[in-house]
Amino acid sequence: MADLKVLGISGSLRKASLSMAALRACNELLPAGMTLSYAVIGDLPLYNQDIFDAGLPEPAKRLRAAVSAADGALIASPEYNFSLTPALKNAIDWASRPPNQSWQDKPVAVFSASAGPMGGARVQYDIRRILGQLWAHVLPRPEVFIGSAQSKFDAQGKLTDEATRKFLTDLLAGFGTWITRMQKK
Ligand SMILES: Cc1cc2nc3c(=O)[nH]c(=O)nc-3n(C[C@H](O)[C@H](O)[C@H](O)COP(=O)(O)O)c2cc1C
């Protein structure tokens, strides 16, 4: 697989976030040739068209540049009240405004890690719907839902669940194939 640069985006800003912990675990599970870096979205202001019109704030410039430069984005998020966290929706919105909206034709893989037994099934479909209308190419399968996520990491945030490790490994391998396929278009 050619050199693929993937940008990880956590939908949770919490220091002990399980989504961020899962993204960190992905670093050990990448297929050969893929590298993973992490976006910072916690310092984005709340989206306001007046701020956008006055000139992109640095955190928004940085996020847009990072998404544009990446071969693909890997989004991991908890579910908040059956949908997106405000931090993730805000980041998607900041990167979505023309000109050069960053999600256009971008390969994206999504997984969720949430406390509920469904592991964020509902948020995942909302993320897919939003990114689809921005013309991102969202990997349809495999789907990964890390349910009862608090039981799958130790106190240091290390992923201890072997089945989850395997699901993420398969997701990352599939994402590598997907990025390569989308780049041929
Ligand atoms: C505002 C709020 C709403 C939540 N709603 C849901 C929900 O709809 N479904 C669910 O599975 N968990 C829900 N949770 C629990 C989160 O899944 C849990 O706190 C998770 O650990 C947060 O992700 P993080 O560890 O990455 O910060 C909610 C938590 C918060 C703070």
Side-chain angles (χ1 to χ4, degrees):
M1 196 176 290
D3 206 16
L4 298 180
K5 288 183 273 316
V6 170
L7 180 71
I9 303 175
S10 166
S12 169
L13 305 180
R14 204 164 72 87
K15 235 184 285 162
S17 161
L18 298 171
S19 283
M20 191 61 221
L23 273 181
R24 276 194 224 100
C26 285
N27 228 330
E28 298 164 11
L29 310 173
L30 300 173
M34 185 182 282
T35 54
L36 180 62
S37 61
Y38 302 103
V40 176
I41 63 169
D43 55 355
L44 287 165
L46 197 55
Y47 188 89
N48 175 335
Q49 192 63 42
D50 294 339
I51 299 177
F52 187 96
D53 291 343
L56 271 181
E58 272 314 311
K61 264 191 212 159
R62 190 190 57 222
L63 176 69
R64 290 170 69 102
V67 174
S68 296
D71 295 303
L74 175 65
I75 296 177
S77 187
E79 179 173 271
Y80 275 10
N81 296 317
F82 290 15
S83 192
L84 275 74
T85 64
L88 179 59
K89 182 61 165 54
N90 193 44
I92 292 173
D93 287 347
W94 271 112
S96 74
R97 303 309 297 156
N100 306 320
Q101 74 101 341
S102 321
W103 302 108
Q104 178 79 44
D105 297 326
K106 187 64 57 183
V108 179
V110 177
F111 70 91
S112 48
S114 238
M118 290 167 70
R122 291 156 295 221
V123 65
Q124 225 180 97
Y125 287 107
D126 282 357
I127 297 170
R128 290 171 184 277
R129 179 173 54 84
I130 291 164
L131 289 173
Q133 68 87 24
L134 288 167
W135 296 100
H137 299 306
V138 186
L139 175 72
R141 275 185 282 131
E143 298 179 303
V144 177
F145 309 99
I146 309 177
S148 307
Q150 66 285 357
S151 68
K152 297 184 173 150
F153 297 82
D154 69 15
Q156 283 71 48
K158 187 174 163 41
L159 178 60
T160 51
D161 185 66
E162 271 316 308
T164 302
R165 195 174 289 279
K166 171 84 170 70
F167 290 139
L168 290 175
T169 303
D170 290 348
L171 174 70
L172 292 164
F175 192 35
T177 306
W178 180 251
I179 294 173
T180 307
R181 195 202 284 190
M182 290 304 129
Q183 285 178 339
K184 279 201 193 119
K185 298 222 156 204

